[in-house]
Amino acid sequence: MGTKTVDETGAETGTEAERDERTVDVTKADAAEASTGEGTGPAADAEERDEDVEKRDEADADVAALDESGAGRDGGVGQGAAAVVSAALGVVSLTGSWVSTVAAARETLIGQLETSSTASVATQVKEVYGDAWAATALVGGLFALVALIVGVVVLVRPAFGAPGRPQAAWIKSVAWAGVSLGVVGLVLAVAKYSDILLGLPSTS
């Protein structure tokens, strides 16, 4: 048991007095921590862990958003380029190209070389002009077919991509233009190749 003495001023001294002072100091420190909300208990550790988890989740969400936006841009660029190519091929199928010009000239040259001067007029017209026109129609039909296929691929591409990622409106518009031009060019090419449209003149 500690000793306790009383000095002349009436103050207590000794072991028990020192113990009382330490108790008061500890109580004051605990009260200060409680008032400021600081501490190193389990509640504070759990709160810090929750904050760390939220920060990591936010960082992961930002990275995923960047990845998705990058993938969307790449896919949009490719689909847009394909749509433009489809429309351009559709225009070429209707207006002609150097390929069709060379093919027509070649058929004309072959017809002149293989047709004798004694052949009938109908034969000469067919070999010199008819085959050349058919070659032009054939090349135009090939361009139209490619334009049609490319346009359809662009339009159906979102169905095989990431769900919930819409296709840009301008890509759809250009792709539909390519498909439409391809259909028109293909119909005209078939009609000309089969002499339904602009057939050979009668020589009788």
Side-chain angles (χ1 to χ4, degrees):
M1 182 174 180
T3 60
K4 181 170 63 176
T5 60
V6 180
D7 58 8
E8 294 178 355
T9 61
E12 295 180 355
T13 60
T15 306
E16 292 185 0
E18 292 177 358
R19 186 182 301 112
D20 293 339
E21 291 178 359
R22 288 196 296 270
T23 303
V24 171
D25 293 337
V26 171
T27 304
K28 290 181 179 179
D30 293 340
E33 291 180 357
S35 62
T36 57
E38 296 179 353
T40 58
D45 294 340
E47 185 177 354
E48 291 180 359
R49 287 195 297 270
D50 292 340
E51 291 178 356
D52 293 339
V53 171
E54 290 179 358
K55 290 180 181 179
R56 287 196 296 270
D57 292 341
E58 291 177 358
D60 294 340
D62 293 339
V63 172
L66 291 175
D67 293 340
E68 289 181 358
S69 61
R73 285 195 297 271
D74 295 341
V77 170
Q79 294 176 26
V84 173
V85 169
S86 174
L89 291 174
V91 173
V92 170
S93 69
L94 296 175
T95 60
S97 65
W98 67 268
V99 178
S100 61
T101 301
V102 172
R106 182 176 182 276
E107 289 298 328
T108 299
L109 180 60
I110 292 175
Q112 291 175 349
L113 293 175
E114 294 182 353
T115 304
S116 62
S117 57
T118 58
S120 63
V121 176
T123 301
Q124 292 181 11
V125 169
K126 179 182 181 303
E127 294 295 332
V128 176
Y129 299 100
D131 291 347
W133 294 345
T136 302
L138 179 62
V139 174
L142 292 177
F143 275 97
L145 181 61
V146 174
L148 178 61
I149 293 174
V150 173
V152 170
V153 170
V154 172
L155 291 175
V156 301
R157 177 63 180 83
F160 300 95
R165 183 178 298 166
Q167 191 177 54
W170 72 269
I171 296 178
K172 292 182 179 179
S173 300
V174 177
W176 274 115
V179 171
S180 301
L181 292 173
V183 170
V184 174
L186 190 60
V187 170
L188 292 178
V190 172
K192 179 63 194 80
Y193 190 83
S194 59
D195 286 338
I196 297 175
L197 179 67
L198 301 175
L200 291 173
S202 177
T203 56
S204 57

